[in-house]
Amino acid sequence: MSNIEWFADLGIDDVESVGGKNASLGEMVQHLAKAGVNVPTGFATTADAYRRFLVDTGLKDEIDGLLADLDVDDVRELARVGAKIRGDIEEQDFPADLEADIRSAYEKLTAEQGKDATFAVRSSATAEDLPDASFAGQQETFLNISGIDNILHAIKLVFASLYNDRAIAYRVHAGYDHSLVALSAGIQRMVRSDIGASGVMFTMDTESGFRDAVFITSSYGLGEAVVQGAVNPDEFYVYKPALKQDRPAILKRGVGSKTTKMVYTGDDTVGETIHFVPVEPEDQGRLSLTDDEVTELAKYAVAIEEHYGRPMDIEWGKDGSDGKLYILQARPETVQSRASSSTLKRYVMKERGPVLVEGRAIGQKIGAGKVRKLTLETMHEFEQGDVLVAGITDPDWEPIMKRASAIVTDLGGRTSHAAIISRELGIPAVVGTGTATKDLTDGQEVTVSCAEGDAGFVYEGLREFEVKETELDKMPDIPTKIMMNVGTPDQAFEFSRLPNKGIGLARLEFIINRQIGIHPKALLELDDQTPELQEQIRSLISAYDTPRDFFVERVAEGVASLAAAFAPEPVIVRMSDFKSNEYAGMIGGERYEPDEENPMIGYRGASRYLSADFEDCFAMECEALRFVREEMGLTNVRIMIPFVRTIEEAKGVTELLAKYGLKRGENGLQVVMMCEVPSNAVIADQFLKYFDGFSIGSNDMTQLTLGLDRDSGLVAGGFDERDPAVKAMLTLAITACKEQGKYVGICGQGPSDHPDLAEWLVDQGIESISLNPDTVVETWLRIAKRGEKAGA
């Protein structure tokens, strides 16, 4: 039985010999190099060598005795026993043959890699990284190790780390026999990411389980900072179908704060080789990877996923010396890939309160309880159902994390330790809040919501929420297409799991407000702003080359995320429909907007696009949508024009779209019109000459038909989409579209608020009803039930 195996001789079937991590490294070294995936080489000690080490030295009998009756929920006793075992392993000499083999392999490796090469000594447990278990971060890894004596010491510490408190507790709770788990140490050439970048990527969205995206996190320096949650990293989503066609594929770029990075100290003492240093302020606002590097990493991820045939969790590093990207580890993703695809469970806040802190949402659940800010010394005080609040979480905390109703941290991103463990435990976490430990009080009652998109919120008090379950494989057939109104891209992947026939209304102004936040004219005329405003805007757009690039690329990201999530179903994107008062509220907006008495019926929609003052802003919107359709290949995007008052505006706006590369009918482009002004319904046949159909906006149609201001509380009681006059307008519009064989749907609030209106629309023969996501299932089932009664 050998003590040493080289990665090049190992494969995925060697888990029992060298553990999951090292077997996976061997598999990639052997088989993925031909796919262009760079994996640093090295060797591994075997599980047999580890077992003989314990048996021959008498350590095995001692360990078995100490663990036999250990209550792992007794945190203090767990800590005492764990420390005893680890200390005894570290003090024990290696058998002579094992040490000789390690020395020989190290000499060969340094001869190949050069005398200045340094190495990572990584742990790899034989029960680790299996498809049904994740031991994320439970055993130790030591970085930038050089010299054989330091290598031997690090291997011994890796062996001892099998008995970290967290690892002992996890095995007990997961039902693994301690004696059946062995450890292998992998000695792998270090990638100089200390002067480059590093991070983690998943071949699926970690929150929703969406399979067509690669999710990448990245920060400067060594990747351990990202894994620990000590840094808020950059985030990227990459669309696999576009990637495979060699099209632009980046769906989202998110700039993390990246205030610190982990680098080498220059000390070769084991455990003292790395430390944190500040990141230069000008680098914090920049993205740590170029688009080309993000794309290359995503291609690596897809190649790895295709090789293993399942979703993967991958660590990577960019070597600052040679500029190349390397894969450091790959393991099966163990949370979303096991989730049921037939049952959708959605958490919904029914009552909100003051927001105490906000961060990145992990998972899509809601939890509530008392805040407990702990240290390792006070872990025994933690009670079932408490909300764990910490700067960052550490693997040593895992024995108590399973008792938490939620986790909140100051630091960390979606691939941090807190995020990984909370997903595995199935509890919500809000990470990267920045101030939770300062703003939350020990013992304070809070509600932690991760059910509202990318952002996670900690609300004051115990707030009411509910859990809705949908059996996705039991939805009945109905005669009308049910689409969705989706406000922002944050929840697109999650909402796409609901039964649907696409997005009937994607409001571009919501994307602009969330993704941009700056008046488009202020961006185009940045050099003409006050010095203070210029500084504010430049800080917000620092990750992009120009102000125009910022607008176009950010809008394209938002639209592409929606289109990718719902492909191949249609996604109808309404061009921006801000009113003047709303535009004035954006950064730099007051200078460019008129002061209108009633913005609701003023400078908005088609008339705004056609004005000389706004055309260059509209051109940027068109450029973004053209990029999504033509370059990324997401031709399921359709365009909708709001608030078209006259036939002249209908003609003018379609010509303007064509001028900026969005010609109706070209490359399958459909352009529909919001039918929301009474004139649209009264002479519908004339408007339809310029459009491929109508999407009825019931809100404005009701307002203008009944002559009431829907923003005025004085007359709000008279606002009802079911009024006979409004229904008459809807009938005119539906009939005209059906007679011409053109699309007709409704995307206003009415059918979401009034199920009986939805039923009436079905009777009128409307093609699609676009609903708020929280009403989709109920309305779908109600329509189906009514159809059953009619047919009985």
Side-chain angles (χ1 to χ4, degrees):
M1 293 184 285
S2 62
N3 288 320
I4 297 297
E5 295 285 354
W6 290 91
F7 289 155
D9 298 325
L10 293 169
I12 199 61
D13 294 332
D14 294 309
V15 171
E16 284 301 315
S17 174
V18 293
K21 208 171 268 139
N22 287 335
S24 180
L25 282 169
E27 182 79 9
M28 291 190 294
V29 169
Q30 272 205 65
H31 300 290
L32 288 172
K34 55 190 173 188
V37 178
N38 297 322
V39 185
T41 190
F43 66 91
T45 62
T46 64
D48 284 336
Y50 169 82
R51 291 189 180 101
R52 288 198 302 275
F53 167 53
L54 295 189
V55 171
D56 292 351
T57 59
L59 285 168
K60 182 181 184 306
D61 290 339
E62 176 195 334
I63 292 169
D64 289 347
L66 287 168
L67 296 179
D69 298 314
L70 177 64
D71 177 5
V72 295
D73 292 323
D74 183 338
V75 176
R76 289 179 173 175
E77 182 63 8
L78 173 62
R80 185 190 68 80
V81 169
K84 166 68 173 167
I85 294 173
R86 294 192 298 275
D88 290 347
I89 291 175
E90 185 177 354
E91 292 173 6
Q92 183 63 57
D93 290 335
F94 280 131
D97 64 319
L98 174 57
E99 181 169 334
D101 287 347
I102 294 171
R103 287 179 178 275
S104 175
Y106 180 75
E107 288 177 9
K108 180 179 178 182
L109 191 57
T110 51
E112 294 174 356
Q113 302 297 321
K115 292 182 179 180
D116 295 332
T118 60
F119 301 90
V121 181
R122 303 183 183 277
S123 62
S124 180
T126 55
E128 187 176 31
D129 299 335
L130 297 179
D132 61 343
S134 172
F135 286 57
Q138 289 186 11
Q139 279 77 55
E140 300 291 348
T141 288
F142 298 93
L143 304 176
N144 198 39
I145 307 299
S146 63
I148 185 58
D149 291 338
N150 289 325
I151 292 288
L152 289 165
H153 185 204
I155 292 172
K156 200 172 293 183
L157 292 176
V158 163
F159 283 4
S161 73
L162 190 60
Y163 297 96
N164 280 331
D165 302 351
R166 56 189 179 263
I168 295 171
Y170 185 95
R171 288 194 294 274
V172 170
H173 291 300
Y176 288 95
D177 185 336
H178 295 293
S179 65
L180 297 181
V181 183
L183 207 69
S184 165
I187 292 80
Q188 183 184 32
R189 180 179 71 80
M190 278 299 303
V191 171
R192 289 301 307 273
S193 54
D194 61 308
I195 53 174
S198 58
V200 180
M201 57 183 175
F202 291 83
T203 60
M204 66 193 305
D205 177 43
T206 54
E207 308 311 315
S208 67
F210 182 69
R211 294 291 298 272
D212 273 346
V214 176
F215 173 50
I216 301 171
T217 62
S218 172
S219 192
Y220 303 118
L222 299 168
E224 192 66 15
V226 176
V227 175
Q228 287 181 6
V231 63
N232 295 334
D234 298 333
E235 294 184 353
F236 305 88
Y237 283 91
V238 185
Y239 187 44
K240 291 179 187 175
L243 192 71
K244 293 176 181 178
Q245 297 174 24
D246 285 326
R247 292 178 176 271
I250 299 175
L251 296 175
K252 181 177 179 180
R253 305 167 184 85
V255 183
S257 55
K258 306 185 298 296
T259 55
T260 187
K261 63 180 177 179
M262 184 181 283
V263 299
Y264 301 145
T265 62
D267 188 341
D268 62 2
T269 304
V270 176
E272 303 294 334
T273 60
I274 53 178
H275 68 153
F276 284 99
V277 297
V279 173
E280 293 297 327
E282 60 269 24
D283 290 332
Q284 294 177 22
R286 299 182 184 133
L287 292 165
S288 50
L289 290 174
T290 66
D291 282 2
D292 287 345
E293 289 168 341
V294 171
T295 300
E296 183 178 349
L297 279 174
K299 288 181 177 180
Y300 284 1
V302 169
I304 292 167
E305 180 180 55
E306 289 178 347
H307 178 77
Y308 284 95
R310 59 171 296 120
M312 299 295 289
D313 167 358
I314 302 162
E315 292 182 27
W316 63 270
K318 175 187 174 182
D319 193 311
S321 296
D322 62 20
K324 293 181 180 179
L325 296 166
Y326 293 88
I327 300 302
L328 308 178
Q329 293 184 30
R331 61 181 74 84
E333 194 279 339
T334 60
V335 178
Q336 286 293 347
S337 55
R338 293 186 306 191
S340 168
S341 59
S342 61
T343 302
L344 178 64
K345 184 180 289 187
R346 294 189 62 235
Y347 286 67
V348 180
M349 289 292 299
K350 297 189 71 175
E351 175 197 13
R352 292 175 176 83
V355 175
L356 301 175
V357 293
E358 177 181 344
R360 304 307 304 274
I362 304 301
Q364 294 159 356
K365 295 182 178 181
I366 299 170
K370 292 182 178 180
V371 168
R372 189 65 65 196
K373 294 192 284 187
L374 296 183
T375 65
L376 289 177
E377 291 74 28
T378 59
M379 285 171 61
H380 62 282
E381 298 176 5
F382 196 87
E383 297 181 0
Q384 187 73 35
D386 284 347
V387 174
L388 176 59
V389 177
I392 61 174
T393 63
D394 184 273
D396 288 323
W397 295 48
E398 289 172 28
I400 66 161
M401 291 172 75
K402 62 184 177 63
R403 305 180 202 164
S405 62
I407 298 169
V408 183
T409 67
D410 289 343
L411 299 173
R414 289 188 168 172
T415 53
S416 64
H417 175 265
I420 292 170
I421 297 302
S422 66
R423 284 192 203 100
E424 184 169 319
L425 295 174
I427 58 176
V430 177
V431 301
T433 64
T435 60
T437 55
K438 182 179 72 173
D439 293 343
L440 301 179
T441 304
D442 209 56
Q444 180 180 19
E445 291 184 332
V446 297
T447 300
V448 180
S449 172
C450 295
E452 302 170 69
D454 273 355
F457 302 96
V458 180
Y459 293 105
E460 182 181 64
L462 302 180
R463 303 292 167 174
E464 186 179 357
F465 62 92
E466 64 180 340
V467 183
K468 297 182 177 182
E469 288 193 3
T470 304
E471 296 295 331
L472 300 180
D473 56 353
K474 296 181 180 178
M475 297 301 292
D477 292 332
I478 55 175
T480 302
K481 296 175 182 176
I482 299 295
M483 304 177 81
M484 272 187 274
N485 301 333
V486 180
T488 63
D490 290 353
Q491 293 175 285
F493 294 158
E494 177 196 354
F495 286 153
S496 69
R497 296 183 61 207
L498 287 166
N500 73 86
K501 291 298 181 181
I503 295 179
L505 173 61
R507 298 175 174 91
L508 201 62
E509 65 270 16
F510 280 21
I511 294 173
I512 292 171
N513 192 51
R514 188 170 182 85
Q515 303 273 103
I516 308 295
I518 305 166
H519 195 287
K521 205 74 173 179
L523 286 169
L524 290 173
E525 299 178 359
L526 178 56
D527 292 338
D528 195 33
Q529 308 304 316
T530 65
E532 295 78 15
L533 189 56
Q534 285 190 47
E535 183 179 356
Q536 181 185 7
I537 293 174
R538 291 187 195 282
S539 70
L540 293 171
I541 68 173
S542 60
Y544 295 79
D545 291 338
T546 68
R548 186 184 185 91
D549 287 344
F550 171 74
F551 185 96
V552 171
E553 291 181 31
R554 293 284 286 171
V555 170
E557 289 168 20
V559 173
S561 294
L562 295 172
F566 285 81
E569 300 291 354
V571 171
I572 301 175
V573 178
R574 186 178 72 185
M575 306 301 279
S576 65
D577 194 26
F578 281 119
K579 288 75 176 173
S580 55
N581 60 323
E582 294 168 336
Y583 259 130
M586 301 181 78
I587 295 172
E590 286 188 13
R591 171 181 171 183
Y592 297 102
E593 294 299 322
D595 184 13
E596 297 185 279
E597 287 294 327
N598 192 344
M600 189 70 73
I601 54 173
Y603 187 43
R604 61 177 287 201
S607 62
R608 179 181 278 266
Y609 310 153
L610 291 165
S611 70
D613 288 340
F614 194 79
E615 183 179 337
D616 52 356
C617 301
F618 183 69
M620 291 197 294
E621 295 182 23
C622 293
E623 184 179 344
L625 267 69
R626 192 207 65 77
F627 180 84
V628 172
R629 283 184 49 84
E630 304 299 326
E631 302 301 320
M632 298 185 73
L634 287 162
T635 54
N636 60 323
V637 169
R638 300 177 184 177
I639 290 173
M640 180 156 64
I641 302 299
F643 225 75
V644 184
R645 295 177 171 96
T646 67
I647 299 301
E648 289 73 21
E649 285 184 352
K651 180 174 183 292
V653 79
T654 51
E655 291 175 350
L656 194 61
L657 285 170
K659 175 181 176 180
Y660 291 114
L662 294 170
K663 185 175 182 180
R664 178 183 164 211
E666 206 165 80
N667 198 17
L669 175 61
Q670 291 189 26
V671 180
V672 301
M673 188 187 91
M674 283 284 282
C675 179
E676 54 190 339
V677 179
S679 61
N680 302 154
V682 172
I683 54 172
D685 56 333
Q686 296 185 49
F687 279 99
L688 286 170
K689 292 177 183 177
Y690 298 97
F691 297 97
D692 296 296
F694 283 165
S695 182
I696 297 168
S698 58
N699 291 344
D700 275 326
M701 183 63 81
T702 300
Q703 170 180 244
L704 297 172
T705 300
L706 300 181
L708 55 81
D709 181 352
R710 60 187 170 103
D711 280 352
S712 171
L714 298 175
V715 294
F719 187 92
D720 192 335
E721 299 94 329
R722 298 166 295 180
D723 186 277
V726 178
K727 283 186 171 180
M729 290 294 179
L730 303 190
T731 298
L732 285 174
I734 294 168
T735 301
C737 289
K738 290 176 67 178
E739 286 178 351
Q740 294 194 31
K742 293 192 174 183
Y743 167 80
V744 60
I746 187 166
C747 62
Q749 187 70 23
S752 294
D753 290 344
H754 307 295
D756 58 323
L757 178 61
E759 293 175 348
W760 179 83
L761 289 164
V762 173
D763 291 341
Q764 299 301 302
I766 200 161
E767 183 177 335
S768 74
I769 299 175
S770 193
L771 302 164
N772 295 338
D774 60 350
T775 65
V776 163
V777 173
E778 292 85 347
T779 306
W780 188 306
L781 295 176
R782 179 165 175 158
I783 291 172
K785 188 174 182 180
R786 185 170 183 269
E788 291 171 2
K789 288 181 179 178

